Amino acid sequence: MTTRRTRTTAALGMLCAGALALSACGNSDDADEAFKGQKADDIAAKAVAATDKAPSVHLKGTAHVKGGNVVEIDIRVDDKGHCTGTMSGDGATAELLRDGGDILIKGDKKFWTNSTKASGGSGGQGAQIADKLAGKWVKAPANSGDASLCDKKTFLASMDQDKSERQGLKRGGTSEVDGKDALALKKEKGGKRLTMHVATEGEPYILRTETKGSEPNDMTFSEYGKKVEVQKPADDEIVDPANLKA
């Protein structure tokens, strides 16, 4: 068995698709003081660059996708190969962990059943694999969709694949996001309202992104620079799927 991109992580792509393009309201006078004289697109570019360069970040978000499914992630990740968090969607839940080496995933039965089906396996194969892997830490290939969530550079890059999403933005008002002052950059596209909230003090980090429309989503960015604490499981608690018997 190989761990490929599951429906859960495919849906996560939708969560992130508009994340860096991101409508907000606020006091326009306050907005004039934040990033004075700078264009919205230029501010967005600086925010993306600052977020990319941050040593660590806590990403937490929710997306509503077609079919009524809700996808959620809660990940702490740094640029040294450390990661810990959870993801859920399509009735499945999994934990993620990385301590500078292999990326490990501990999913429930539904997660592994979904993963098997997404990889082309049958329902029977999914049930067998789920029985073997559910509740255990499993090594994930570095190029899998799930694994990319634990790679800061790869994950943030995937959110900014379409740079046109963060062009044509307009300055909104200022507000507070988790106690930090932020300027809203806004855009309407295809019936959706997109918003990026950028910190106005210190580094211009992205603090929150939102998409409002038929399939709303949001993501918060916090705990920049905070150490990612990882408790690696013992070797005998880790399963390599390549060694599984059919």
Side-chain angles (χ1 to χ4, degrees):
M1 169 197 167
T2 57
T3 308
R4 299 181 182 175
R5 188 175 180 85
T6 66
R7 283 182 288 174
T8 299
T9 50
L12 286 173
M14 299 182 68
L15 170 64
C16 302
L20 297 181
L22 311 172
S23 79
C25 57
N27 187 308
S28 59
D29 293 334
D30 291 340
D32 289 339
E33 296 301 319
F35 301 102
K36 189 172 183 178
Q38 298 183 46
K39 296 181 179 179
D41 287 4
D42 293 337
I43 298 170
K46 291 179 180 179
V48 172
T51 299
D52 182 60
K53 291 179 181 179
S56 64
V57 64
H58 178 194
L59 300 158
K60 186 174 183 180
T62 302
H64 295 74
V65 297
K66 289 182 179 179
N69 188 31
V70 178
V71 176
E72 298 181 350
I73 66 166
D74 188 345
I75 304 289
R76 290 174 172 82
V77 61
D78 67 18
D79 56 7
K80 303 296 183 183
H82 302 100
C83 167
T84 183
T86 61
M87 61 180 176
S88 65
D90 202 12
T93 302
E95 295 179 60
L96 297 169
L97 182 151
R98 187 183 185 191
D99 189 20
D102 293 319
I103 295 170
L104 305 177
I105 299 175
K106 184 166 71 172
D108 57 16
K109 285 191 175 183
K110 184 67 173 179
F111 175 86
W112 292 114
T113 299
N114 290 352
S115 180
T116 304
K117 290 180 179 178
S119 300
S122 66
Q125 290 173 322
Q128 290 180 349
I129 290 173
D131 285 339
K132 293 179 180 179
L133 300 183
K136 299 178 181 178
W137 288 105
V138 181
K139 291 183 180 180
N143 62 351
S144 71
D146 299 325
S148 69
L149 295 176
C150 265
D151 185 316
K152 179 176 174 288
K153 283 286 184 182
T154 299
F155 186 39
L156 292 178
S158 72
M159 295 171 64
D160 195 36
Q161 284 183 334
D162 185 359
K163 293 176 175 53
S164 67
E165 289 285 339
R166 53 178 168 87
Q167 295 173 356
L169 295 165
K170 296 181 180 180
R171 295 170 63 108
T174 55
S175 60
E176 283 194 359
V177 178
D178 291 334
K180 300 181 184 299
D181 291 336
L183 172 68
L185 306 177
K186 58 185 180 178
K187 179 179 179 178
E188 291 193 15
K189 179 181 178 181
K192 295 182 179 180
R193 289 178 293 157
L194 311 170
T195 312
M196 176 194 290
H197 300 275
V198 181
T200 60
E201 296 182 2
E203 293 291 335
Y205 290 136
I206 299 171
L207 299 180
R208 184 180 178 88
T209 59
E210 302 165 1
T211 300
K212 296 186 181 297
S214 59
E215 297 172 9
N217 64 60
D218 68 84
M219 182 176 289
T220 59
F221 301 67
S222 63
E223 299 180 17
Y224 281 101
K226 185 175 180 178
K227 183 178 180 180
V228 178
E229 301 284 354
V230 179
Q231 294 184 341
K232 187 177 179 179
D235 290 342
D236 59 3
E237 297 179 51
I238 301 173
V239 176
D240 187 340
N243 298 328
L244 286 178
K245 295 181 179 180

